[in-house]
């Protein structure tokens, strides 16, 4: 699992509040990803990073922002949480020389 | 437990039998494929991969078969055990693309 941790593991928040999820990796992998997983949709890419301070949008990026100030940390921020952002969020990492992505344990977010 | 897909295809097998899980991939240019296993409440876990210059690859109790002609991938699990119960999904990519495209997954249930 490439030494990936996510925090928090569970969070309940209210509509309109900001939320930040953290992904931390210890493998020095270059690429990092944020996905959400919902019934009927599978894994969908939110944002990804191909290096420190280099990020790009995925297929479902609206309402989310990311930051990567150092190799090991990739933050996902919901600026103003909505009920449609209730989901399970997974972080993944990938080494520069590989195509395999390794996933963290996930964060379950409930927006009331 | 957590449901990763309310309408996933399902496969039920008897403990000790062999399981075959299928995946149709979308892009004829894809040249790298991965199978992941996701247990309830956990992140996807890498099982086995295969490149397009191969049509078969074996691991411990698992075999992946690739048929590029019909864009089909299968995962065979020998002598299934209760711990094999999970959702299995395939992913495809093109070397250098740094993005995976995920299938919806199949829920495997092992009957005692």
């Amino acid at each position: 699992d490439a030494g990936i941790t996510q925090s928090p593991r569970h969070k309940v928040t209210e509509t309109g509040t900001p939320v930040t999820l953290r992904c931390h990796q210890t493998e020095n992998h270059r690429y990092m990803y944020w996905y959400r997983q919902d019934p009927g949709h599978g894994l969908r890419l939110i944002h990804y990073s191909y290096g420190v301070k280099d990020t790009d949008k995925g297929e479902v990026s609206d309402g989310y922002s990311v930051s990567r100030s150092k190799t090991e940390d990739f933050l996902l921020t919901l600026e103003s949480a909505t009920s449609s952002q209730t989901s399970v969020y997974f972080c993944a990492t990938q080494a520069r020389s590989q195509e395999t992505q390794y996933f963290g344990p996930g964060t379950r977010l409930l927006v009331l | 437990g957590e449901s990763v897909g309310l309408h996933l295809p399902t496969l039920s097998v008897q403990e000790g039998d062999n399981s075959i899980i299928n995946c149709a991939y979308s892009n004829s240019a894809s040249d790298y494929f991965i199978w992941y296993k996701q247990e309830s409440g956990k992140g996807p876990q890498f099982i086995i991969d295969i490149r397009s210059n191969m049509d078969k690859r074996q691991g411990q109790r698992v075999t992946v078969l690739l048929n590029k002609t019909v864009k089909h991938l299968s995962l065979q699990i020998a002598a299934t055990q209760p711990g094999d119960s999970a959702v299995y999904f395939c992913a495809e990519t093109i070397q250098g693309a740094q993005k995976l495209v995920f299938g919806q997954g199949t829920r495997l249930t092992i009957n005692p």
Side-chain angles (χ1 to χ4, degrees):
Chain A
D1 61 1
I4 304 170
T5 57
Q6 293 183 230
S7 59
R9 293 294 314 280
H10 302 271
K11 186 169 182 66
V12 180
T13 191
E14 294 185 348
T15 298
T17 59
V19 176
T20 295
L21 309 182
R22 180 181 183 237
C23 176
H24 180 78
Q25 57 126 339
T26 59
E27 296 295 320
N28 201 35
H29 284 176
R30 177 175 180 175
Y31 303 99
M32 297 186 75
Y33 306 81
W34 276 108
Y35 294 91
R36 60 178 290 175
Q37 187 175 46
D38 306 285
H41 291 280
L43 285 162
R44 292 184 291 175
L45 182 64
I46 304 172
H47 281 280
Y48 63 102
S49 169
Y50 39 94
V52 173
K53 298 191 188 307
D54 287 327
T55 65
D56 206 347
K57 296 179 179 179
E59 61 181 296
V60 290
S61 59
D62 288 348
Y64 301 94
S65 63
V66 290
S67 65
R68 190 164 179 207
S69 58
K70 46 186 178 179
T71 299
E72 56 266 35
D73 289 327
F74 193 30
L75 304 181
L76 177 70
T77 297
L78 290 66
E79 302 291 348
S80 177
T82 67
S83 58
S84 65
Q85 293 176 312
T86 291
S87 187
V88 181
Y89 292 86
F90 288 101
C91 173
T93 72
Q94 179 179 326
R96 181 176 182 176
S97 57
Q98 299 179 357
E99 288 86 19
T100 305
Q101 291 183 19
Y102 298 92
F103 287 82
T107 294
R108 185 177 297 202
L109 176 67
L110 175 61
V111 184
L112 300 175
Chain B
E2 170 189 308
S3 172
V4 299
L6 292 178
H7 304 291
L8 286 176
T10 59
L11 175 64
S12 293
V13 299
Q14 292 296 122
E15 183 177 350
D17 286 352
N18 297 334
S19 303
I20 300 176
I21 300 170
N22 296 303
C23 176
Y25 64 92
S26 59
N27 189 348
S28 58
S30 294
D31 56 11
Y32 180 68
F33 306 87
I34 307 169
W35 277 102
Y36 286 95
K37 172 186 180 182
Q38 188 174 21
E39 297 176 85
S40 181
K42 297 184 178 180
Q45 177 187 3
F46 171 87
I47 302 174
I48 192 168
D49 59 359
I50 189 168
R51 297 197 180 276
S52 59
N53 60 352
M54 303 172 68
D55 52 19
K56 180 179 181 179
R57 190 170 188 212
Q58 289 185 292
Q60 186 178 11
R61 279 201 310 119
V62 295
T63 300
V64 55
L65 299 177
L66 175 62
N67 185 331
K68 296 181 287 294
T69 302
V70 294
K71 294 191 292 184
H72 184 267
L73 199 63
S74 67
L75 177 70
Q76 300 178 2
I77 305 174
T80 50
Q81 304 167 357
D84 294 329
S85 292
V87 174
Y88 292 82
F89 53 92
C90 64
E92 60 181 289
T93 190
I94 300 171
Q95 187 173 0
Q98 273 75 48
K99 286 188 189 179
L100 296 178
V101 175
F102 295 92
Q104 287 293 311
T106 296
R107 185 180 303 280
L108 177 64
T109 301
I110 310 302
N111 301 314

